[in-house]
């Protein structure tokens, strides 16, 4: 890390990796296999970060490695259409039928940024409504009350974002349809899009009230704005067909990332055909990328999605729920105020007795206790996200044995964190 800090800011390629949210130095990873990773000092961890979500099949999953190796034999990038792009697009469209067309990009940031450009072009309006604590990548207009990394660093907003850009971003609390309605109406017909993480992952794990997403659909319809579900984190995690399948609410546009690249850089935005046809070259809205639809990333994503059958989803969701239930029970036995929840293979917890419904509640949790617990867990070989405002994941490689071992270690870690 000393060497890394000399040549990269904070020694990391993305801020939350620096352990700023929990203190201490991050470990330097050497390799991963299945549910486990090893650091360069030979320590082994059961991994619940999973590269921040993409690794639905676990580390170095044979299906993904084989698919990438096979694709790599034929070249690494072409910049002209390749069959794998269409295959992956068809696979996504089949599972998310409301995504009638999509465009591949290389990061979630590009996906959300492009979806908003499209929404602005389609509506001829500038304002967007986001929710406090939701993170939609690091494009200028999204770095307003943006949760996780930004909150962990204690930065309410980022310097370098022009006021003129940030002023188009309006913010309401998550799970508060009345506030969203008030903010949307106050724009007087200027609202281009409402963008939301259907299950929040970047303020810690926060589930939506059943009526909240429905209310957003109504507000969007009433104000003529488009509804964008940012499923970069939730896509192919919370249900085989994503938030629409889980909550029965259909967005106009959807952004995807993480799992659809299977651990390689791929993301996408898509939705209604009439909207997507506005993108160049079909339409006039410009967006492009040298490595978009990269054949290795497409191969990794395709191998991941093909393996993620509804049966596997169900198995992963069941194991995740068992982990969360076990953690709640451990906290209850020790008399610790604690709340934990999951959706599919995405989960999270807070050291707080009352339910956490929005980012204000999340920040009222006991973050000092989280930090102690994080380090006690790490010392016992369980790697949780190094911030109280992140979510965790379970992969297909986390079997019953790993869940049992994790529960044992985390119970012990909890005891140590309290002493
Ligand atoms: N949207 C959501 C919901 C995310 O969780 C993230 C990243 O964590 C992004 C967008 C940005 O994706 P990326 O880090 O690939 O740019």
């Amino acid at each position: 890390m000393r060497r890394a800090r000399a040549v990269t800011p904070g020694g990391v390629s993305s801020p939350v990796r620096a352990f700023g949210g929990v203190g201490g130095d991050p470990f330097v990873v050497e390799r991963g296999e299945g549910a486990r990773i090893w650091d360069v000092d030979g320590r082994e961890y059961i991994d619940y970060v999973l590269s921040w979500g993409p690794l639905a099949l676990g580390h170095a999953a044979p299906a993904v490695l084989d698919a990438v190796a096979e694709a790599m034999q034929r070249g690494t990038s072409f910049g002209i259409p390749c069959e794998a792009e269409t295959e992956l697009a068809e696979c996504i469209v089949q599972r998310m039928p409301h995504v009638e067309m999509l465009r591949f990009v290389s990061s979630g940031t590009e996906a959300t940024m492009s979806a908003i450009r499209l929404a602005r072009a389609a509506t001829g309006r500038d304002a967007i409504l986001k929710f406090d604590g939701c993170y939609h990548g690091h494009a200028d207009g999204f770095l307003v009350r943006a949760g996780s990394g930004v909150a962990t660093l204690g930065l309410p907003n980022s310097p370098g974002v022009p006021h003129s850009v940030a002023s188009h971003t309006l913010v309401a609390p998550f799970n508060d349809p009345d506030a969203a309605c008030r903010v949307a109406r106050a724009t007087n017909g200027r609202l281009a899009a409402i963008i939301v993480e259907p299950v929040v992952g970047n303020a810690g794990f926060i589930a939506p009230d059943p009526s909240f997403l429905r209310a957003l659909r109504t507000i969007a319809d009433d104000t003529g704005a488009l509804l964008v579900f940012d499923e970069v984190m939730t896509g192919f995690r919370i249900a085989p067909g994503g938030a629409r399948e889980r909550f029965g609410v259909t967005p106009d546009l959807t952004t995807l990332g993480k799992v659809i690249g299977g651990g390689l850089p791929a993301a996408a935005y898509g939705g209604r055909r009439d909207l997507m046809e506005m993108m160049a070259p079909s339409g006039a809205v410009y967006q492009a990328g040298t490595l978009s639809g990269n054949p290795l990333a497409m191969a990794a994503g395709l191998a991941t999605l093909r393996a993620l059958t509804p049966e596997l989803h169900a198995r992963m969701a069941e194991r995740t729920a068992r982990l969360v239930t076990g953690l709640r029970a451990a906290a209850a036995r020790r008399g610790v105020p604690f709340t934990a929840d999951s959706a599919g293979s995405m989960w999270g917890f807070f050291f707080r007795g009352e339910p956490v419904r929005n980012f204000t509640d999340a920040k009222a949790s006991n973050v000092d206790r989280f930090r102690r617990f994080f380090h006690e867990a790490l010392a016992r070989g369980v790697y949780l996200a190094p911030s109280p405002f992140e979510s965790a994941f379970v992969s297909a490689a986390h079997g019953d044995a790993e869940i049992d071992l994790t529960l044992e270690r985390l119970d012990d870690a909890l005891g140590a964190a309290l002493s």
Side-chain angles (χ1 to χ4, degrees):
M1 282 312 295
R2 237 190 339 269
R3 273 174 59 205
R5 276 193 286 264
V7 285
T8 60
V12 291
S13 297
S14 195
V16 190
R17 299 179 197 177
F19 278 26
V22 289
D25 269 342
F27 59 88
V28 177
V29 72
E30 185 177 70
R31 68 184 185 93
E33 189 183 330
R36 290 176 167 78
I37 49 177
W38 287 263
D39 70 17
V40 290
D41 300 313
R43 280 185 292 258
E44 179 182 319
Y45 309 92
I46 303 177
D47 182 14
Y48 289 94
V49 182
L50 294 165
S51 188
W52 304 90
L55 304 178
L57 304 185
H59 291 275
V64 174
L65 297 191
D66 290 349
V68 173
E70 198 270 328
M72 197 161 55
Q73 296 308 312
R74 287 178 273 122
T76 57
S77 182
F78 302 103
I80 43 175
C82 72
E83 206 174 349
E85 291 164 84
T86 305
E87 280 182 79
L88 182 55
E90 285 170 350
C91 183
I92 292 169
V93 166
Q94 195 217 340
R95 290 174 199 206
M96 296 184 167
H98 60 294
V99 177
E100 294 172 332
M101 291 186 117
L102 60 89
R103 162 68 53 82
F104 287 112
V105 290
S106 297
S107 69
T109 292
E110 281 180 85
T112 52
M113 185 181 87
S114 309
I116 292 301
R117 182 177 303 145
L118 173 54
R120 285 175 167 152
T123 57
R125 302 165 172 191
D126 288 339
I128 60 170
L129 169 59
K130 74 180 282 291
F131 296 91
D132 189 14
C134 284
Y135 178 67
H136 302 293
H138 65 85
D140 282 351
F142 290 126
L143 287 183
V144 180
R145 314 244 298 263
S148 66
V150 189
T152 301
L153 295 173
L155 306 172
N157 301 304
S158 174
V161 174
H163 175 73
S164 55
V165 175
S167 67
H168 293 301
T169 304
L170 309 167
V171 182
F174 191 74
N175 269 336
D176 186 341
D178 292 341
C181 191
R182 269 195 310 278
V183 175
R185 292 247 160 83
T187 65
N188 286 324
R190 283 193 310 115
L191 193 63
I194 301 174
I195 184 165
V196 66
E197 291 182 70
V199 173
V200 182
N202 287 288
F205 178 100
I206 304 177
D209 290 341
S211 59
F212 179 62
L213 298 176
R214 274 200 305 277
L216 296 187
R217 181 66 270 175
T218 305
I219 296 167
D221 291 341
D222 288 350
T223 56
L226 298 182
L227 181 60
V228 184
F229 278 179
D230 181 357
E231 294 225 60
V232 167
M233 191 181 284
T234 56
F236 304 105
R237 281 270 173 205
I238 61 169
R244 176 179 162 276
E245 181 181 314
R246 192 175 177 99
F247 301 112
V249 177
T250 305
D252 300 294
L253 293 171
T254 297
T255 54
L256 295 164
K258 299 195 190 266
V259 170
I260 69 161
L264 272 78
Y269 62 101
R272 278 168 36 198
R273 182 178 300 276
D274 61 311
L275 295 172
M276 292 307 293
E277 293 275 20
M278 294 180 71
M279 296 310 301
S282 303
V285 185
Y286 198 72
Q287 179 274 316
T290 300
L291 292 176
S292 294
N294 174 268
L296 305 191
M298 298 295 103
L302 206 47
T304 300
L305 288 195
R306 282 183 177 148
L308 272 181
T309 57
E311 296 71 33
L312 181 56
H313 259 285
R315 213 159 47 240
M316 288 163 70
E318 187 273 322
R319 289 196 185 124
T320 310
R322 195 160 74 74
L323 178 61
V324 163
T325 307
L327 274 178
R328 278 198 215 114
R333 270 197 310 276
R334 292 177 184 277
V336 187
F338 186 82
T339 169
D341 202 358
S342 68
S345 58
M346 179 176 162
W347 63 282
F349 64 89
F350 295 98
F351 285 104
R352 181 180 150 101
E354 304 79 37
V356 172
R357 302 180 64 254
N358 55 44
F359 197 30
T360 304
D361 294 345
K363 285 186 288 192
S365 66
N366 189 334
V367 295
D368 286 335
R369 183 166 286 162
F370 174 89
R371 291 184 184 118
R372 284 198 298 281
F373 178 64
F374 168 85
H375 283 292
E376 296 296 348
L378 195 67
R380 287 162 179 77
V382 177
Y383 177 44
L384 301 167
S387 161
F389 307 122
E390 294 285 353
S391 292
F393 306 95
V394 159
S395 81
H398 289 67
D400 284 327
E402 280 78 14
I403 300 294
D404 288 339
L405 189 57
T406 301
L407 282 172
E408 208 176 286
R409 290 177 178 179
L410 290 185
D411 183 36
D412 202 38
L414 197 54
L418 296 173
S419 62

